[in-house]
């Protein structure tokens, strides 16, 4: 089965906190907004997503999940490359490598 790939670009989302893991909350919100096929958990509180949503919109989706001393960083890639199982090479290649 192949997943449908719409318009979009690759974004990296990283949560930053010293008190707790943000992975479950960030992952759930991203999957709810974007669907399972366009979200990949990289490591700890870091995710890759493929979407046409702007980085600021993604930041705004995630901001209510954060306490005052927690942060989220969203970056959109123009060029990228990956290797190894954490990067999910097949998923990346289908999204514009």
């Amino acid at each position: 089965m192949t997943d449908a790939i719409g318009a979009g670009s690759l974004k990296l989302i990283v949560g930053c906190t010293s008190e707790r893991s943000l992975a479950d909350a960030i992952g759930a919100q991203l999957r709810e907004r974007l669907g399972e096929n366009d979200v990949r958990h990289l490591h700890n509180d870091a995710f890759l997503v493929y979407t046409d949503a702007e980085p600021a919109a993604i930041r705004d989706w995630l901001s209510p999940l954060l306490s005052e001393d927690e942060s989220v960083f969203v970056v959109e890639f123009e060029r990228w490359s990956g290797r190894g199982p954490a990067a999910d090479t097949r998923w990346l290649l289908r999204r514009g490598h």
Side-chain angles (χ1 to χ4, degrees), residues 10-43:
L10 191 65
K11 279 95 172 169
L12 172 70
I13 296 100
V14 179
C16 195
T17 182
S18 61
E19 298 298 316
R20 63 184 177 127
S21 172
L22 296 171
D24 289 343
I26 288 175
Q29 180 71 330
L30 293 172
R31 287 180 184 94
E32 180 181 318
R33 296 276 184 158
L34 304 175
E36 188 73 33
N37 287 334
D38 289 325
V39 177
R40 289 294 177 269
H41 183 219
L42 279 181
H43 185 267

Side-chain angles (χ1 to χ4, degrees), residues 3-5 37-38 50 80 90-97:
D3 56 327
I5 299 173
N37 287 334
D38 289 325
Y50 186 80
W80 49 269
R90 289 181 58 207
W91 185 84
L92 288 171
L93 288 173
R94 288 182 36 88
R95 286 159 176 82
H97 188 347

